[in-house]
Amino acid sequence: MAVYTEVSDAALAEFLAAYDIGTLLSCKGIAEGVENSNYFLHTTGGSFILTLYEKRVQEQDLPFFVGLMEHLARRGLACPQPIRDRSGTALGRLCGRPAALVSFLEGVSLSSPGPEHCREVGVALARLHAAGRDFAMVRANALSVGSWRPLFEQAGGQADSVSPGLTERTLADLAVLEAGWPRDLPGGVIHADLFTDNVFFIGDALSGLIDFYFACTDAFAYDLAVCLNAWCFDARGSFHRDMATAMIAGYESQRPLEPAEVEALPMLCRGAALRFMLTRLVDWLNVPPGALVKPKDPLEYDRRLTFHRQARSAADYGRAA
Amino acid sequence: MAVYTEVSDAALAEFLAAYDIGTLLSCKGIAEGVENSNYFLHTTGGSFILTLYEKRVQEQDLPFFVGLMEHLARRGLACPQPIRDRSGTALGRLCGRPAALVSFLEGVSLSSPGPEHCREVGVALARLHAAGRDFAMVRANALSVGSWRPLFEQAGGQADSVSPGLTERTLADLAVLEAGWPRDLPGGVIHADLFTDNVFFIGDALSGLIDFYFACTDAFAYDLAVCLNAWCFDARGSFHRDMATAMIAGYESQRPLEPAEVEALPMLCRGAALRFMLTRLVDWLNVPPGALVKPKDPLEYDRRLTFHRQARSAADYGRAA
């Protein structure tokens, strides 16, 4: 939950005056996302989300994120559509911060998804990859393999205080991943953070994807590996094979994996788990005083790594041979 | 801002199944109110606020609050209307807490209201008093004069650490207020907390009143005194006479004050300021570790008290003679 910046009605009125969206009817700070401040806006022109980008988002990345949402929405993907103001720009400023207005997307995040939902996520992920194919901008994945050792070094010597042996396990993972990380897989735009809170459903039907603020240019199969980690394990680290089988089948119903991607899947899943373990670990050890957001438990991903370390092939992730 | 209780989609679906409000389209935790958890709900049947009552609200008071909103909405007051479930009850349980669903009210709170808005608030307050006249339930004002000395004693010897001399000033206020508090003024249902964040406007027109969780049975003029404190002073404690004149005139356009109410106004304003100074002081000195809500500054009301102590008559509050 997060609203870091309080927007006065006067500042909001001035900001909205640049847009053709009618009269403001209501504005509520919403407890969603951990990086930015988000407001739900209702006007005579419709419903919108207003996002104020806080300092964890690099301002130079915003044209990529906003341009990507615009590109994907134009290609029919159900995602927030940036609203341009009368001068044609979709990125404004409000309360000293970069700010954007996007269309409001209906739907509810699932706290206990089943295999049928995982299949839908696989389908939507492959469609996202297809819709992004002709997006012209490029953004390197700042949280890929090259960033993991420096991230771990930020955690300093404190990893073992979070879990005994975590330092040794992580160093072993890093050695394997740095040596064997696949480099030439098919790629393009990936979401890179498609967790349950970023996927909306109405009833059992997937209604949209949100939060493109980790999107980047990287291997498609890595995005699938992120989703397998995010959706197909429970908090105790138990793998749900039926959910993974459904997710991969959904993905492959739109875009069959190439042999190199199939072969790389265990390595990609292990890497994705390490990426989330490491960012969570750094956040866990650096909770600022007065923080409004409870840090997420890095050990949830340490437990997934136990599974990934022993996986030998895509079959271990339930992919039908 | 506050969402204390996270509601899972499964728990929410089970709760909503008892209501005839259609299919759930979205649910967002909103950063509003400091006492309860609030969610904005959109369904095929409309827009709603779902409130989970947290521990600061006494469960035995909920029938009064919910019954009052229903009564006022039925009399045409723009306030949240409780939604009854199929069994006819408007108070349910969700995640182990009492919970209620009310209609969503459009509008925006003002951060910098002017005299024209204060006039509207006066009008709305008098209409609220009129609409509540035939409400059958009674709830004593738990935060009236009898509670102030015990509240101050909770702050223990720490008041002077917040502001030098605060103990002496408060004891003097208590002596004056306890001796002279008016007892036989016209009364009935009052809101008792009609601050700017509880009044919505669309453009310059007042669109509704929310947050009836301090409502009680007390003197009408005390409610006006709360509003004069909340709306007609700035954070530095400066009194804005034009705003108070407009608010009182708005109130009296609907319900002229009786002579005893006019005479009591300085005492009521001083008491209302002390009430908010004291509850803020206790909260200020008792911020729980990990609190999500920043406590409000008690000294804003200490500064208002400086004004109230020297006021001699309603004319000092800008009431036209």
Side-chain angles (χ1 to χ4, degrees), chain A residues 1-4 6-10 12 23-32 40 42 49 104-112 200-203 207 210 290-293, chain B residues 1-4 6-10 12 23-32 40 42 49 104-112 200-203 207 210 290-293:
Chain A
M1 55 179 297
V3 174
Y4 300 96
E6 297 281 347
V7 179
S8 74
D9 59 306
L12 181 60
T23 304
L24 182 64
L25 296 176
S26 73
C27 172
K28 308 275 181 218
I30 61 176
E32 195 155 278
F40 168 72
H42 188 208
I49 296 287
F104 179 78
L105 219 59
E106 301 279 11
V108 181
S109 319
L110 301 180
S111 22
S112 300
F200 288 167
F201 287 82
I202 297 177
S207 62
I210 64 161
L292 297 174
V293 175
Chain B
M1 54 176 299
V3 175
Y4 301 96
E6 297 279 347
V7 178
S8 74
D9 59 305
L12 180 61
T23 305
L24 182 64
L25 296 175
S26 73
C27 172
K28 308 276 181 216
I30 61 175
E32 197 157 278
F40 167 73
H42 188 205
I49 296 288
F104 178 78
L105 217 59
E106 301 280 11
V108 180
S109 322
L110 301 181
S111 21
S112 301
F200 289 167
F201 287 83
I202 296 177
S207 63
I210 64 162
L292 296 174
V293 176

Side-chain angles (χ1 to χ4, degrees), chain A residues 113-126 194 196 199 223-233 240-254 257 317-319:
Chain A
E116 67 280 22
H117 307 115
C118 290
R119 186 185 160 84
E120 295 260 326
V121 172
V123 169
L125 188 72
L194 201 58
T196 54
V199 181
D223 219 7
L224 181 58
V226 169
C227 288
L228 289 166
N229 273 286
W231 291 76
C232 307
F233 292 77
H240 293 268
R241 190 184 178 89
D242 55 341
M243 294 169 76
T245 298
M247 180 177 280
I248 297 170
Y251 188 89
E252 294 205 273
S253 74
Q254 306 296 311
L257 294 172
Y317 292 94
R319 180 175 185 262

Side-chain angles (χ1 to χ4, degrees), chain A residues 193-273:
Chain A
D193 193 42
L194 201 58
F195 279 59
T196 54
D197 42 352
N198 293 333
V199 181
F200 288 167
F201 287 82
I202 297 177
D204 285 330
L206 191 150
S207 62
L209 312 178
I210 64 161
D211 200 347
F212 287 78
Y213 301 109
F214 287 96
C216 56
T217 315
D218 203 345
F220 292 142
Y222 175 71
D223 219 7
L224 181 58
V226 169
C227 288
L228 289 166
N229 273 286
W231 291 76
C232 307
F233 292 77
D234 56 35
R236 285 171 303 135
S238 299
F239 175 63
H240 293 268
R241 190 184 178 89
D242 55 341
M243 294 169 76
T245 298
M247 180 177 280
I248 297 170
Y251 188 89
E252 294 205 273
S253 74
Q254 306 296 311
R255 179 186 165 263
L257 294 172
E258 297 184 6
E261 294 177 284
V262 174
E263 195 190 337
L265 204 61
M267 183 74 78
L268 294 169
C269 286
R270 187 170 176 179

Side-chain angles (χ1 to χ4, degrees), chain B residues 17 51 226:
Chain B
T51 301
V226 169

Side-chain angles (χ1 to χ4, degrees), chain A:
Chain A
M1 55 179 297
V3 174
Y4 300 96
T5 304
E6 297 281 347
V7 179
S8 74
D9 59 306
L12 181 60
E14 193 189 327
F15 178 83
L16 295 179
Y19 293 83
D20 268 327
I21 57 166
T23 304
L24 182 64
L25 296 176
S26 73
C27 172
K28 308 275 181 218
I30 61 176
E32 195 155 278
V34 295
E35 305 284 329
N36 302 313
S37 296
N38 290 300
Y39 289 86
F40 168 72
L41 254 62
H42 188 208
T43 77
T44 49
S47 295
F48 305 92
I49 296 287
L50 168 67
T51 301
L52 276 74
Y53 299 99
E54 304 293 341
K55 52 180 184 274
R56 273 183 78 148
V57 175
Q58 299 281 319
E59 194 160 348
Q60 71 265 29
D61 286 335
L62 289 174
F64 177 90
F65 300 141
V66 170
L68 176 61
M69 285 189 275
E70 202 161 38
H71 178 96
L72 295 173
R74 207 180 289 139
R75 291 211 171 14
L77 200 85
C79 72
Q81 173 146 26
I83 310 297
R84 291 173 177 258
D85 68 13
R86 285 195 205 88
S87 76
T89 175
L91 256 177
R93 286 197 84 81
L94 179 54
C95 299
R97 286 169 177 72
L101 202 59
V102 302
S103 61
F104 179 78
L105 219 59
E106 301 279 11
V108 181
S109 319
L110 301 180
S111 22
S112 300
E116 67 280 22
H117 307 115
C118 290
R119 186 185 160 84
E120 295 260 326
V121 172
V123 169
L125 188 72
R127 288 187 180 155
L128 162 63
H129 293 166
R133 276 212 187 263
D134 57 344
F135 181 57
M137 298 174 80
V138 169
R139 177 178 176 264
N141 185 355
L143 291 169
S144 188
V145 60
S147 73
W148 298 339
R149 193 173 289 272
L151 265 176
F152 185 60
E153 282 160 5
Q154 270 186 58
Q158 300 178 74
D160 281 7
S161 74
V162 177
S163 171
L166 185 57
T167 300
E168 193 184 332
R169 294 194 294 280
T170 303
L171 289 172
D173 287 329
L174 281 171
V176 171
L177 290 162
E178 286 169 348
W181 194 247
R183 298 281 169 187
D184 297 308
L185 299 176
V189 167
I190 69 167
H191 186 284
D193 193 42
L194 201 58
F195 279 59
T196 54
D197 42 352
N198 293 333
V199 181
F200 288 167
F201 287 82
I202 297 177
D204 285 330
L206 191 150
S207 62
L209 312 178
I210 64 161
D211 200 347
F212 287 78
Y213 301 109
F214 287 96
C216 56
T217 315
D218 203 345
F220 292 142
Y222 175 71
D223 219 7
L224 181 58
V226 169
C227 288
L228 289 166
N229 273 286
W231 291 76
C232 307
F233 292 77
D234 56 35
R236 285 171 303 135
S238 299
F239 175 63
H240 293 268
R241 190 184 178 89
D242 55 341
M243 294 169 76
T245 298
M247 180 177 280
I248 297 170
Y251 188 89
E252 294 205 273
S253 74
Q254 306 296 311
R255 179 186 165 263
L257 294 172
E258 297 184 6
E261 294 177 284
V262 174
E263 195 190 337
L265 204 61
M267 183 74 78
L268 294 169
C269 286
R270 187 170 176 179
L274 190 69
R275 171 257 183 269
F276 288 101
M277 194 282 284
L278 287 171
T279 50
R280 287 182 174 202
L281 180 65
V282 169
D283 289 345
W284 189 265
L285 294 170
N286 295 282
V287 179
L292 297 174
V293 175
K294 193 174 161 232
K296 291 176 180 164
D297 184 0
L299 298 182
E300 284 187 20
Y301 281 81
D302 185 44
R303 291 190 280 272
R304 283 162 173 72
L305 281 161
T306 306
F307 178 89
H308 298 311
R309 284 184 201 111
Q310 54 74 43
R312 291 289 160 262
S313 75
D316 291 328
Y317 292 94
R319 180 175 185 262

Side-chain angles (χ1 to χ4, degrees), chain B residues 231-251:
Chain B
W231 290 77
C232 307
F233 291 78
D234 57 34
R236 284 171 303 135
S238 300
F239 175 61
H240 293 267
R241 190 183 178 89
D242 55 341
M243 295 169 76
T245 298
M247 179 176 281
I248 297 171
Y251 188 88

